[in-house]
Amino acid sequence: MNFNKLRKAFLFLLSGSIFACSPPEKELKKAESVISTERMVEYIKELGSDDYQGRKPFSEGETKSINYIAKLYKEMGLEPINGDSYFQEVPLVEVTVDVPEDIKLQSYKGKSELKYRDDFVIFSRRLQDDIELKNSEMVFAGYGIVAPEYGWDDYIDLDVKGKTVVVMVNDPGFGSTDKSFFKGNEMTYYGRWTYKYEEAARQGAAGLLIIHQTKPAGYPWSVVLNSASVPKLYQQPKDNYQSRCAAEGWLTWKTAETLFHSCGKNLNEELKKAKQPNYKGFDFNTKLSIKFHNKARFDKTNNVLGVLRGTDLADEYIFYSAHWDHLGIGPKMNGDSIYNGAVDNGTSLAWMFEIAKAFKAMPQKPRRSIVFFAPSAEESGLNGSGYYADHPIFPLKKTVANINNDLMLPYGKMRDVMITGYGQSELEDYVVEAAKNQDRYILPDPNAQSGMYYRSDHFSFARVGVPSLFVRGNNDHWEKGKEFMSEKEQYWLANHYHKPFDEYEDWWDLEGVVDDAKLLFRVGWKLANEDKFPNWKEGSEFKAIRESYMKN
């Protein structure tokens, strides 16, 4: 036998963990029983209180938040990851856009203007004081996608260098039942606004404006507006983001309709055409001009990580994650300007803290180490988890899996276990087994068109090849059913999401969050006590990335 394997086996026996792979059911149930709704309420009330000022990175709210989380980790007996510190510094730049001038349009029909907030929003990553597009020709480029694996190129034979490109949100598969056409109604990464800005820059465009629609975007115009109105956080670049478009933004559907009509086109008809292969974009015969100012501030925020060390496989890691940040202080709504983030993401932090409690309650340690990861700056584009993925403390090759959660609704027990990004990895098989234990059933995300798999911190792990889960009960209330939950979710998204009204309320029922914590504790325990690594499934865009470094 290989000496290292013999040594690991000896340490395993010595640790007293010989039964860790298959502990008695009563031990798992006893550990699960420590997961507490009362403590969850305490965490959420604390982190979601006005004292934390909406938990904005670079603020007093950050200092309070990360110190509170570190204190909890220490009390739980989790080890720090940097000497005696639980923090990983994340260098970011905060960019504040002064309220821009209205957009001025010049066409053969004459001059017109677009009103900021009512018609459009705009911003820029470029770290320079003055941003200007002057008489920039406007071009429509369908969905703004170049996807060789789907035989798709919206930019083919279209000259956009130095121009302002207008594109549709989501991807051509939206509304389709044909899974071979992109992914059908499930959004691919090509449908995400982040990709569209990146691709327009690669094509040499000066600006990129995305036409907003609530259903394919997954959120109303108010969310776009609120996100554009607060300072944005980005990772610190080497080129001051001069490689990005000078201007990035959104247009309302109504504004886009008027724009299309002005050049003799019908937006709905062009949308249908743009879903067909080999669609050719066109010039609007309109020029756009706008000026605005950027202010940049360089600073550091912090990820918070605590580790429960394993035994014979302690150099292999399972990650649980839930971001700690929210939007801070923003525009007033009904007299309130603090965006508390009690659901987004207080409920998920509470979920993660209680899973840590369950692991600590087991009479034996897991074989693999468990990392409890609270990333910063998720709301600004997965910046904290993205920085970790690019600067990992623990080798990616030794990172077994990530189990993430975000925005866990407080409406009680659920029959479903919703898997966002269903069909991606073998981790789903572990969830199936754990769900049976709770008499629950697996449900692929019914709103896969919103692209949620690319919108939370698990994606940062996925894009570097680490199999990642985003799983929670969300759609089928145990007593009141699917229609009830659909109404509640839509109401919450319309009235609370990214608003000052995301606050703890006494009617909340966290029993569903408790069930999810128990379920994903069992998934993590099984992963932590076996030898194999879960893989991506065939067809996953992340499979080749993982294989590229696991073979070495």
Side-chain angles (χ1 to χ4, degrees), residues 91 137 189 193 241 259 265 291 312 355 376 405 425 455:
E137 295 180 30
Y189 184 61
W193 55 265
Y241 288 118
L259 178 64
K265 301 284 188 179
K291 290 181 182 179
D312 64 310
I355 289 174
S376 179
N405 245 311
S425 80
R455 290 169 56 185

Side-chain angles (χ1 to χ4, degrees), residues 128-271:
Q128 61 189 63
D129 294 338
D130 299 310
I131 307 293
E132 181 177 15
L133 296 181
K134 188 173 182 179
N135 295 323
S136 176
E137 295 180 30
M138 299 184 73
V139 178
F140 182 60
Y143 282 90
I145 291 171
V146 178
E149 65 270 40
Y150 295 113
W152 198 275
D153 187 349
D154 282 319
Y155 286 98
I156 194 166
D157 298 328
L158 197 61
D159 177 17
V160 301
K161 287 183 171 57
K163 299 178 182 179
T164 297
V165 181
V166 177
V167 300
M168 297 302 306
V169 72
N170 212 305
D171 64 44
F174 176 74
S176 171
T177 58
D178 182 359
K179 281 283 188 179
S180 66
F181 182 53
F182 283 75
K183 288 187 178 179
N185 199 42
E186 179 180 350
M187 186 190 289
T188 65
Y189 184 61
Y190 294 115
R192 289 289 291 139
W193 55 265
T194 48
Y195 164 79
K196 294 174 189 287
Y197 292 139
E198 292 163 1
E199 187 59 48
R202 283 191 285 268
Q203 297 290 332
L208 189 283
L209 298 172
I210 301 172
I211 300 171
H212 176 265
Q213 278 182 292
T214 297
K215 285 188 177 180
Y219 37 79
W221 179 253
S222 62
V223 172
V224 175
L225 192 57
N226 288 342
S227 297
S229 301
V230 297
K232 293 183 174 293
L233 296 176
Y234 306 113
Q235 292 194 38
Q236 293 184 13
K238 294 179 180 179
D239 68 345
N240 288 336
Y241 288 118
Q242 294 301 307
S243 59
R244 295 293 291 241
C245 295
E248 302 171 346
W250 294 76
L251 295 173
T252 66
W253 178 265
K254 183 178 179 181
T255 300
E257 280 186 316
T258 302
L259 178 64
F260 276 68
H261 181 72
S262 69
C263 65
K265 301 284 188 179
N266 180 283
L267 177 54
N268 281 301
E269 290 179 3
E270 291 303 319
L271 174 57

Side-chain angles (χ1 to χ4, degrees), residues 339-358:
Y339 290 61
N340 302 79
V343 167
D344 186 11
N345 201 30
T347 50
S348 302
L349 285 167
W351 162 87
M352 183 174 72
F353 298 153
E354 288 301 286
I355 289 174
K357 289 274 190 182

